[in-house]
Amino acid sequence: QEVSSEILVTCFPMKSWTRGAAVVIGACAIGFKDEIISNFNQPASEGWSPQLRRSLSWSDHHSRPPVNPSVREHIKPLTVAPDPESETVLFWHIPKSGGTTLKSIYKCMRQTLAVRVGADPRYGHANDKEIIAFEPGRTGALFVNVDTLTPSGILRAQELGLVPSGKANMIVTTNALNFAIEHLYDKFHKGRVLALFRHPVDRLVSKFYYSQVARVFLSRSVSLLRNMITSLF
């Protein structure tokens, strides 16, 4: 799927869904169309799937507004092999698309995440002057002390040098994808963007059922809090 005249998102579906839970549904690579097409007729492209070839053919005839120049400068092309030692992955978390499961896998593997938890005032690192990785409580999960879900948090992470520090294995963001690419990376510290996608109807159905559970939980929490307050007087 093409998201602009220069950016191409190529998805390789793997598995669908299990009963009641999302599993990894595919790897989605985000790169530049011209760099991919320039290698399309090379020998390495002979093994490319028919779906990818159709995607490239479609994108070559459908133009969109040009992408922000800073995005081109800050993302490594798909034609360059990944280097985990020098790259920091940016994960675009689309709600109800398996992102929470992916983060849980990373935490289970003791990988360090940059997400909202790291800047939670409860853990005492919201006002640190340098990037550190820490384990909140005895959860076994590691986080850096920034919030990469909001523009203000991203600017703070930029000021503290999140990506150059190399402290985070994966940075997570949601609605601020372009903002994060522009401000966290630069031409000397390029990154890669990964995402999990899900059929929009399935997402809505999942969100509907989740909201039912969340509403019940919230109602019970409010009732418990009210009873606690009442018992004090």
Side-chain angles (χ1 to χ4, degrees):
Q1 178 181 354
E2 189 181 18
V3 294
S4 81
S5 62
E6 300 182 24
I7 295 246
L8 185 69
V9 180
T10 304
C11 297
F12 305 89
M14 295 159 51
K15 262 186 119 173
S16 185
W17 306 97
T18 58
R19 183 182 179 89
V23 222
V24 176
I25 59 172
C28 294
I30 299 178
F32 299 109
K33 182 180 69 177
D34 56 353
E35 290 167 342
I36 298 175
I37 293 178
S38 66
N39 292 275
F40 188 63
N41 294 318
Q42 300 299 320
S45 68
E46 294 177 358
W48 290 8
S49 68
Q51 292 88 344
L52 177 55
R53 289 180 176 273
R54 286 197 298 270
S55 177
L56 290 171
S57 176
W58 182 92
S59 65
D60 202 27
H61 296 87
H62 294 73
S63 61
R64 302 282 181 86
V67 72
N68 188 325
S70 65
V71 174
R72 171 176 287 276
E73 296 174 357
H74 298 176
I75 295 180
K76 284 196 174 182
L78 294 176
T79 51
V80 176
D83 182 6
E85 297 299 324
S86 64
E87 297 175 2
T88 303
V89 173
L90 177 64
F91 175 58
W92 179 23
H93 185 180
I94 302 173
K96 313 311 297 176
S97 298
T100 300
T101 300
L102 178 63
K103 288 188 290 184
S104 297
I105 294 173
Y106 261 70
K107 288 187 286 187
C108 183
M109 296 171 61
R110 295 284 291 178
Q111 299 292 293
T112 304
L113 302 182
V115 70
R116 177 169 293 164
V117 175
D120 192 318
R122 292 179 298 173
Y123 304 119
H125 296 289
N127 298 313
D128 288 347
K129 302 303 181 183
E130 63 179 350
I131 294 293
I132 65 167
F134 69 99
E135 178 182 352
R138 298 182 178 179
T139 61
L142 297 173
F143 298 92
V144 289
N145 52 335
V146 291
D147 175 6
T148 52
L149 298 188
T150 64
S152 60
I154 290 172
L155 290 177
R156 177 173 175 267
Q158 178 189 24
E159 181 181 351
L160 296 180
L162 171 61
V163 172
S165 74
K167 295 289 182 66
N169 297 111
M170 184 171 73
I171 299 172
V172 181
T173 194
T174 50
N175 297 328
L177 175 63
N178 290 334
F179 193 83
I181 294 174
E182 180 178 357
H183 292 278
L184 295 180
Y185 300 89
D186 56 44
K187 61 182 180 180
F188 301 107
H189 303 90
K190 294 186 176 183
R192 295 181 187 270
V193 182
L194 302 179
L196 292 178
F197 294 89
R198 187 178 184 180
H199 193 287
V201 174
D202 291 335
R203 282 188 62 220
L204 288 176
V205 172
S206 177
K207 187 173 183 179
F208 170 78
Y209 285 110
Y210 173 79
S211 66
Q212 307 306 304
V213 176
R215 186 177 295 112
V216 172
F217 177 78
L218 178 60
S219 176
R220 291 177 179 175
S221 299
V222 170
S223 298
L224 178 61
L225 180 60
R226 183 182 296 113
N227 292 337
M228 291 175 61
I229 294 176
T230 303
S231 65
L232 295 176
F233 298 96

